[in-house]
Structure formats: C-alpha cells, structure tokens
Amino acid sequence: MLLRIVETDATPAEALEAFTWGTADDQIGTELERGPRDAVARVYEILKREELDPDIDALARCDGRCSEGASTGIPPF
C-alpha cells in the first residue's frame, strides 16, 4: 500500500489530507465545499480500497498459487 501511495507523488501534506478525508465525519465536504482532488483523491482511493479489502496485497503476492493457510509473507498478528 505504501508503495502505491508513494507512486502518486503526493506530498506528506496531501497524504495527511487524504487520511483526514477517510477518517473525518461526513461534514468535511460540506465545510470545505469540495471533495478530495488530484493526488489527495488518488491517495484517498488507495486508503479506501485497503480499508475495504485489507488482504488485497496478500492476494496479489499469492498470484493465485496460494492455498488457504499458505504463507503469503505477512507476519501473523
């Protein structure tokens, strides 16, 4: 996920703004009178995608060859 965020060329401030969009209440768009734009929007989409499916990176590394319970290189919690 971090690599995808770095690839957006977002500044640290833009990444923080994207995180704020993802964690703020529903009023942020109303208060700012706009939605996330440009690099902020790209980082926001990456964060939302990760939130919806946190195991997507593990599945990508698996490349369809992993069986359930196989190692994906992710340490257990």
Side-chain angles (χ1 to χ4, degrees):
M1 173 177 67
L2 291 176
L3 183 59
R4 290 192 310 265
I5 291 172
V6 169
E7 289 172 344
T8 67
D9 291 327
T11 65
E14 290 169 326
L16 178 59
E17 183 180 339
F19 177 79
T20 301
W21 276 100
T23 58
D25 62 24
D26 291 338
Q27 293 298 315
I28 190 170
T30 304
E31 292 171 11
L32 295 178
E33 298 180 356
R34 66 172 176 85
R37 294 183 254 171
D38 305 322
V40 174
R42 291 189 301 273
V43 173
Y44 172 79
E45 288 302 318
I46 292 167
L47 294 173
K48 291 309 280 184
R49 193 175 329 128
E50 183 69 19
E51 178 181 293
L52 293 174
D53 192 356
D55 292 330
I56 197 164
D57 286 336
L59 293 173
R61 280 193 296 275
C62 182
D63 194 29
R65 296 179 297 235
C66 295
S67 61
E68 190 167 328
S71 175
T72 58
I74 298 175
F77 291 98

